Amino acid sequence: MFDTAFTKPATGGASFRHPRALHEAGIKRYGFHGLSYEYLAQVLPDYLGAAADGRVIVAHLGNGASLCALHRRHSVATTMGLHRWTG
């Protein structure tokens, strides 16, 4: 898996809340620290129990820093991203 795969919500680029005009112009946003967040999502039930499947914010600190909002242990938003022109 690429590092960006976990932090890119399954619903596609528009869910990153960047301006619709940028999305329509072919600019996509990809999150970072995905491998770190994927691991955290896997072990979260060990620390939070059933609450792990609620709304949780986790942080990646070291070699960059970012936050990731999780719901049901899936990424719904991230503070770090790269916009890439695809057109």
Side-chain angles (χ1 to χ4, degrees):
M1 173 193 303
F2 290 106
D3 190 42
T4 61
F6 183 80
T7 53
K8 181 180 179 188
T11 56
S15 63
F16 273 113
R17 306 285 188 251
H18 63 287
R20 182 177 301 276
L22 293 178
H23 179 70
E24 290 171 353
I27 298 174
K28 298 186 188 260
R29 185 172 173 198
Y30 295 95
F32 287 95
H33 303 146
L35 297 176
S36 175
Y37 290 130
E38 180 181 30
Y39 170 76
L40 289 172
Q42 288 175 3
V43 300
L44 212 50
D46 297 339
Y47 295 92
L48 298 180
D53 286 326
R55 292 185 169 115
V56 180
I57 296 176
V58 292
H60 173 95
L61 303 173
N63 292 326
S66 65
L67 298 172
C68 183
L70 303 174
H71 185 234
R72 296 186 181 120
R73 294 187 287 141
H74 294 279
S75 173
V76 294
T78 180
T79 62
M80 191 171 177
L82 166 73
H83 288 82
R84 182 174 74 88
W85 174 262
T86 60

